[in-house]
Amino acid sequence: MQFSLSFPDIHQERQGNTGVPGVWCLDSGHAGRCVMISALIHGNELCGAWALKALLASQLQPRRGKLILAFCNLDAFDRFNPEQHDASRYVDEDMNRVWSDHKLSQDQTQEQRRAKALLPWLEQADWLLDLHSMHEPSAPLLLTGPLPRNIELAQTLGAPEHVIVDTGHKDGVRMRDYGRFSDPDAHEARSLLLECGFHGDPDTPAIALDLIARFLLASGIVDAADLPQDWRRADPDQQRILQVTHAIVAPSMQVRFSQNWQGLETLPEAGTAIGDADGQPLLTPYDHCTLVMPSLRQLRPGVTVVRLAQDYQSPKT
Ligand SMILES: [Zn+2]
């Protein structure tokens, strides 16, 4: 898949207005939610940088509450090369695995140090929208985590078509799962992670802006008329909510897929082989099993290579 999304010039945007590089705080001075939108947690995921650049250029200001914008892993972004875009995902370690008190108390990697600088902003945020893109071509996915309040917010937003109820990664804590975002009792906190499509897909910034418009409006910090009209795209006919039941983690480098899975394939019968790991077949555990974000591009022992999902059953019904 060709990388055809151009590299954004953010030399002005990376200055920020907070004293922390890449961090902007737009404060209405009135009561309201504190909303944070983050981009470039992974340095090769350019769609979020394009979207935040467009947001700043629009001069949108919150009417209520605060809006924090963060260009996160600038050091990784600075190493971007479209020929080897995976190499600029991070510098020392994946910045979306460092958001635990344990890792944040350390000072050993560039990502730990940067996360610590971002932390005071993240801790203020009531709502977080974290913008990402994917290793492989795919329809956009909105990842909610398991808490019903985030699933409900995804339904309120009404897009994208595919919503994934997931449970994070074994190899570290994501920003969107940090602290109260994953506390069942923190009723005000909301966090969503948007995967806009393939890293190099030129449509991904528009996907991000559509969700930004929906998210800001739902948060109440802007009015509909404040938003540039061309951000909002048509609603999908319906949303499909998929609950991740299994994350297949590579036990070693000996992992193969039986087909070039694109993601969102639904396999009708339990026991269908999707590949093998260490010589053992990887079988679907139930009927009507959907593959989510299959990828061997980042294959290392401990990395999630595919998630398995079933249609979500709301706990209320
Ligand atoms: Zn990412």
Side-chain angles (χ1 to χ4, degrees), residues 40-45 89 94 96-97 130-135 193-195 199:
L40 294 177
I41 276 284
H42 295 130
N44 60 331
E45 300 182 0
R89 182 171 170 83
D94 189 329
N96 217 19
R97 304 290 184 271
D130 189 22
L131 301 170
H132 288 253
S133 53
M134 292 181 267
H135 303 310
L193 189 159
L194 179 65
E195 299 278 6
H199 300 317

Coordinates of all heavy atoms in Angstrom, one line a residue, residues 40-45 89 94 96-97 130-135 193-195 199, ligand 1:
L40 N -0.4 12.2 17.0 CA 1.1 11.8 17.0 C 1.5 11.1 18.3 O 2.7 11.2 18.6 CB 2.0 13.1 16.7 CG 1.8 13.7 15.4 CD1 2.7 15.0 15.3 CD2 2.2 12.8 14.2
I41 N 0.7 10.4 18.9 CA 1.2 9.5 20.0 C 2.1 8.5 19.3 O 3.1 8.1 19.9 CB 0.0 8.8 20.6 CG1 -0.6 9.6 21.8 CG2 0.4 7.4 21.2 CD1 0.2 9.7 23.0
H42 N 1.8 8.2 18.0 CA 2.7 7.4 17.2 C 3.2 8.4 16.1 O 2.4 9.0 15.4 CB 2.0 6.2 16.6 CG 1.6 5.2 17.6 ND1 0.4 4.7 17.8 CD2 2.4 4.7 18.6 CE1 0.4 3.8 18.8 NE2 1.6 3.8 19.3
G43 N 4.5 8.5 15.9 CA 5.1 9.6 15.1 C 4.8 9.4 13.6 O 4.9 10.4 12.9
N44 N 4.4 8.3 13.2 CA 4.1 8.1 11.7 C 2.6 8.2 11.4 O 2.2 7.8 10.3 CB 4.6 6.7 11.3 CG 4.0 5.5 12.0 OD1 3.6 5.7 13.2 ND2 3.9 4.4 11.4
E45 N 1.8 8.6 12.4 CA 0.4 8.6 12.2 C 0.0 10.1 12.0 O -0.4 10.8 12.9 CB -0.3 8.0 13.4 CG 0.1 6.5 13.5 CD -0.5 5.7 14.5 OE1 -1.3 6.2 15.3 OE2 -0.2 4.5 14.6
R89 N 7.5 5.3 14.3 CA 6.3 5.1 15.2 C 6.7 5.6 16.6 O 5.9 6.2 17.3 CB 6.0 3.6 15.2 CG 4.8 3.2 16.1 CD 4.5 1.7 15.9 NE 3.5 1.2 16.8 CZ 2.2 1.3 16.7 NH1 1.7 2.0 15.7 NH2 1.4 0.8 17.6
D94 N 7.0 2.3 22.6 CA 5.7 2.7 22.1 C 5.1 3.6 23.1 O 4.9 3.3 24.3 CB 4.8 1.4 22.0 CG 3.5 1.7 21.3 OD1 2.9 2.8 21.5 OD2 3.0 0.8 20.6
N96 N 2.2 4.6 23.4 CA 0.8 4.3 23.8 C 0.9 3.0 24.7 O -0.1 2.3 24.8 CB -0.1 4.1 22.7 CG -1.5 4.6 23.0 OD1 -1.7 5.4 23.9 ND2 -2.5 4.1 22.2
R97 N 2.0 2.8 25.4 CA 2.1 1.7 26.4 C 2.7 2.2 27.7 O 3.1 1.4 28.5 CB 3.0 0.6 25.8 CG 2.5 0.0 24.5 CD 1.2 -0.8 24.6 NE 0.9 -1.4 23.3 CZ 0.1 -0.8 22.4 NH1 -0.4 0.4 22.6 NH2 -0.1 -1.4 21.3
D130 N -8.3 10.6 21.1 CA -6.9 10.3 20.7 C -6.9 9.8 19.3 O -7.5 8.8 18.9 CB -6.3 9.2 21.7 CG -4.8 9.1 21.5 OD1 -4.2 10.0 21.0 OD2 -4.3 8.0 21.9
L131 N -6.2 10.5 18.4 CA -6.2 10.3 17.0 C -5.1 9.4 16.5 O -3.9 9.8 16.7 CB -6.2 11.6 16.2 CG -7.3 12.6 16.6 CD1 -7.1 14.0 15.9 CD2 -8.7 12.0 16.1
H132 N -5.4 8.3 15.8 CA -4.4 7.4 15.3 C -4.7 7.0 13.9 O -5.8 7.3 13.4 CB -4.4 6.1 16.2 CG -3.8 6.3 17.5 ND1 -2.6 5.8 17.9 CD2 -4.3 6.9 18.6 CE1 -2.4 6.1 19.2 NE2 -3.4 6.8 19.6
S133 N -3.8 6.2 13.3 CA -4.1 5.5 12.0 C -3.5 4.1 12.1 O -2.8 3.8 13.1 CB -3.5 6.3 10.9 OG -2.2 6.6 11.0
M134 N -3.6 3.3 11.1 CA -3.4 1.9 11.1 C -2.3 1.4 10.2 O -2.0 2.0 9.2 CB -4.7 1.1 10.9 CG -5.7 1.3 12.0 SD -7.2 0.4 11.7 CE -8.2 1.6 10.8
H135 N -1.7 0.3 10.5 CA -0.6 -0.3 9.7 C -1.1 -0.8 8.3 O -0.4 -0.8 7.4 CB -0.1 -1.6 10.4 CG 0.5 -1.3 11.8 ND1 1.4 -0.3 12.0 CD2 0.3 -1.9 12.9 CE1 1.7 -0.3 13.3 NE2 1.0 -1.3 13.9
L193 N -10.5 6.4 21.2 CA -9.4 6.4 20.4 C -9.9 6.1 18.9 O -10.6 5.1 18.7 CB -8.4 5.3 20.8 CG -7.0 5.2 20.1 CD1 -6.1 4.4 21.0 CD2 -7.1 4.5 18.8
L194 N -9.5 7.0 18.0 CA -10.0 6.8 16.6 C -8.8 6.4 15.8 O -7.8 7.0 15.7 CB -10.5 8.2 16.1 CG -11.0 8.2 14.7 CD1 -12.2 7.2 14.5 CD2 -11.3 9.6 14.2
E195 N -9.1 5.3 15.1 CA -8.1 4.8 14.1 C -8.7 5.2 12.7 O -9.8 4.7 12.3 CB -8.0 3.2 14.1 CG -7.4 2.7 15.5 CD -5.9 2.7 15.5 OE1 -5.3 3.3 14.6 OE2 -5.4 2.2 16.5
H199 N -2.2 4.5 7.6 CA -1.3 5.6 7.9 C -1.2 6.6 6.7 O -1.1 7.8 6.8 CB 0.1 5.2 8.2 CG 0.2 4.3 9.4 ND1 -0.5 4.5 10.6 CD2 1.0 3.2 9.7 CE1 -0.1 3.6 11.5 NE2 0.8 2.8 11.0
Ligands
ZN1 ZN -1.4 4.6 16.7

